[in-house]
Amino acid sequence: MTLRKPLLALFSSALCLLAFGAFGVSSAAASTTEECKIPEVGETFTSQHFLDSNCTESNTEGEYHTVAVKPNALLNRTNTSTITIHAEISSTPTAITCEALSGSKVVSNYEEIGGTGFKGEGKIKMSGCVASEPAGCIVKPIETVQLSESSEDLLGAIMRTLFAPKEGSKLATITLEGCAIAGSYPLEGKLRSQTVDIHTEEFSNTSGSELTVAKKPATLKASFHDATAANGKTVVRETP
């Protein structure tokens, strides 16, 4: 956590944290999307100094800071682990593994009375998918509908991102071919990722996702990071 806001804003944030404490979700000090760089004239940046361009080596002599991305910043998504989906389709346990997660989004930070955060929208694509259960299924590439994305953090500096369909409840369609359960099945609900470190987020059993495939509970696991389309720099999640 770094210091960037005036005292009055911090006081307002504290009041909002108390108001939302009963629900376990903080809308007051929600995380923002930042880029590690040497600040340009006029840019607002965090107080902590870093020696390296990834903002991992803290040092008071460092020239690097985390700087809020510009409004409507275009980011590209890349997975840092294999993607797994577990579901039950037509009473059959189904396990899908995908090698690549990609996609792009547009995101903007915001600061308003009582809080900060980020909002955006984009798509997630999963490719190189195979089914280990049931054997013989061919899995078509999976692409979500347009998703809204927003910071939805928990108390205690746990940083999350909520991914929800802009319309309806369907996130994507999973299409299987060449096996007993061949067909197209809706992946519905909401995805939530949680930060593993300042650069990496993770979909997991504990990140708060609410998913179904063919109306049955499902899980999706993957870790990923976002990078600026302009220069490929991995972005940083930061709490004010």
Side-chain angles (χ1 to χ4, degrees):
M1 180 178 291
T2 51
L3 298 176
R4 174 162 42 191
K5 299 171 67 179
L7 181 60
L8 180 59
L10 289 172
F11 179 70
S12 298
S13 294
L15 291 177
C16 287
L17 279 170
L18 290 173
F20 282 85
F23 300 97
V25 176
S26 169
S27 69
S31 53
T32 53
T33 301
E34 314 267 332
E35 181 181 356
C36 182
K37 60 184 292 190
I38 298 173
E40 300 172 8
V41 175
E43 288 186 321
T44 301
F45 55 90
T46 52
S47 58
Q48 192 168 5
H49 296 251
F50 298 91
L51 290 174
D52 65 306
S53 61
N54 289 316
C55 289
T56 58
E57 299 179 47
S58 179
N59 189 295
T60 55
E61 296 182 2
E63 294 184 281
Y64 290 91
H65 298 264
T66 58
V67 179
V69 297
K70 297 184 184 302
N72 298 313
L74 179 61
L75 306 180
N76 293 326
R77 211 181 323 263
T78 305
N79 58 301
T80 57
S81 73
T82 301
I83 304 96
T84 60
I85 301 171
H86 287 89
E88 183 180 313
I89 298 175
S90 299
S91 301
T92 302
T94 305
I96 296 170
T97 301
C98 300
E99 291 300 320
L101 183 150
S102 60
S104 61
K105 68 178 181 182
V106 173
V107 67
S108 297
N109 296 307
Y110 66 83
E111 183 169 358
E112 53 193 27
I113 296 176
T116 61
F118 67 83
K119 294 179 180 178
E121 61 179 79
K123 291 184 177 183
I124 297 173
K125 301 176 183 179
M126 291 168 270
S127 58
C129 302
V130 296
S132 57
E133 296 182 68
C137 282
I138 298 171
V139 186
K140 304 293 285 183
I142 302 166
E143 181 174 346
T144 69
V145 299
Q146 191 76 354
L147 304 175
S148 64
E149 302 185 26
S150 58
S151 48
E152 187 189 76
D153 302 335
L154 304 184
L155 298 179
I158 296 175
M159 295 182 282
R160 282 184 173 176
T161 302
L162 170 66
F163 302 77
K166 287 183 68 66
E167 296 182 4
S169 62
K170 188 172 77 170
L171 291 161
T173 297
I174 296 175
T175 300
L176 306 176
E177 298 178 347
C179 58
I181 59 170
S184 295
Y185 303 95
L187 172 65
E188 296 180 290
K190 299 175 181 178
L191 277 165
R192 288 182 175 89
S193 62
Q194 187 166 306
T195 54
V196 177
D197 53 45
I198 62 171
H199 298 295
T200 307
E201 299 183 52
E202 180 179 68
F203 298 121
S204 71
N205 289 340
T206 58
S207 64
S209 296
E210 305 167 50
L211 299 176
T212 64
V213 173
K215 306 299 182 182
K216 297 285 187 178
T219 62
L220 188 153
K221 297 180 182 179
S223 60
F224 64 94
H225 59 236
D226 295 328
T228 58
N231 57 21
K233 286 289 297 290
T234 302
V235 297
V236 175
R237 289 288 296 278
E238 182 82 9
T239 53

